[in-house]
Amino acid sequence: MADLPFALGAPDLAARLDAGLDVEEKIPRALEALGPIAGRDVLVVDGDGGRRAAQLADRGARVRSLPAASPGQPLAAADGSADVVVGFWSAFRAPAAEEVAEADRVLRSGGRLLVVHDYGRDDVSRLRGELPEYGAWSRRDGWYLTNGFRMRVIHCFWTFDSIDVARAFLDEAFGERGREVGDTLKRPRLSYNVAIYHRSRGGVEPRA
């Protein structure tokens, strides 16, 4: 699930979305700017060796993908074994004090925790309804910004070959709500904003 912001039931739908998600690669470029990641040991939490991990490796990261640990359970990594820990969508879902503490354990001194979540205020959020990612998490009094994280918002897209292809995907993946969004499209893409919450190891003690 870490490769996509949510699960899609049919494998072909997931592959079609994956192919068009952030084709400009703004997300990995931002992770490099906030890490950096090039030439460093990077743990991707709940990664499956898919596109996101490959994008980091393409930028010179030494990538290892780990299964997500349940709250209170340790990550399968040694103390001080990583320079950067990255979570994509499914990991570090607020409140995430225990997960952040585990990230701090495996990070070396000066290491960085980078967490990617949806931000909303875009076309994609119209498909999914109200989610904590779209408001509560990114507020100044939200869990992340009161627990030592800073936030950078990246303006991305879901890109398709044509408006007809985009509408067909939205119809198959989201039904009536997808058709409503598809009818508003002027170009073969949907605006898609993500927030990268970033924090140095031990910067601020997380609060539950």
Side-chain angles (χ1 to χ4, degrees):
M1 175 156 171
D3 253 13
L4 296 174
F6 51 87
L8 285 168
D12 67 309
L13 290 175
R16 286 153 63 187
L17 175 55
D18 189 45
L21 193 156
D22 186 31
V23 295
E24 301 93 346
E25 298 195 356
K26 292 181 178 181
I27 295 172
R29 284 192 275 125
L31 293 172
E32 168 62 24
L34 295 171
I37 59 172
R40 308 184 81 191
D41 294 320
V42 177
L43 295 181
V44 178
V45 180
D46 200 17
D48 58 4
R51 183 186 295 266
R52 292 337 127 198
Q55 288 174 332
L56 302 186
D58 287 344
R59 282 161 175 76
R62 296 184 293 271
V63 176
R64 179 185 174 196
S65 295
L66 296 179
S70 301
Q73 298 297 312
L75 289 170
D79 295 1
S81 58
D83 299 304
V84 183
V85 173
V86 181
F88 289 104
W89 295 295
S90 58
F92 302 98
R93 297 189 63 80
E98 292 177 324
E99 289 177 271
V100 169
E102 265 299 286
D104 278 351
R105 178 184 66 78
V106 304
L107 283 169
R108 298 176 180 129
S109 177
R112 298 282 286 159
L113 174 57
L114 311 175
V115 180
V116 177
H117 283 303
D118 284 9
Y119 179 73
R121 294 81 160 173
D122 56 18
D123 292 331
V124 173
S125 62
R126 295 164 57 201
L127 298 169
R128 304 190 64 200
E130 294 298 321
L131 296 173
E133 294 96 309
Y134 295 160
W137 290 1
S138 59
R139 291 200 305 254
R140 289 189 178 184
D141 61 351
W143 189 86
Y144 280 103
L145 299 187
T146 57
N147 281 277
F149 287 86
R150 302 179 75 177
M151 178 180 68
R152 179 176 296 186
V153 178
I154 312 300
H155 302 285
C156 308
F157 299 95
W158 291 3
T159 303
F160 300 88
D161 290 337
S162 68
I163 289 180
D164 287 342
V165 170
R167 287 172 175 164
F169 171 84
L170 294 173
D171 184 11
E172 292 179 55
F174 298 98
E176 181 178 354
R177 185 172 291 181
R179 290 191 291 275
E180 291 173 354
V181 172
D183 287 343
T184 69
L185 294 181
K186 305 299 183 185
R187 292 181 290 179
R189 66 185 191 182
L190 280 72
S191 61
Y192 178 51
N193 300 329
V194 301
I196 302 179
Y197 300 98
H198 54 101
R199 174 188 188 274
S200 294
R201 178 184 182 273
V204 174
E205 186 67 20
R207 295 198 300 266

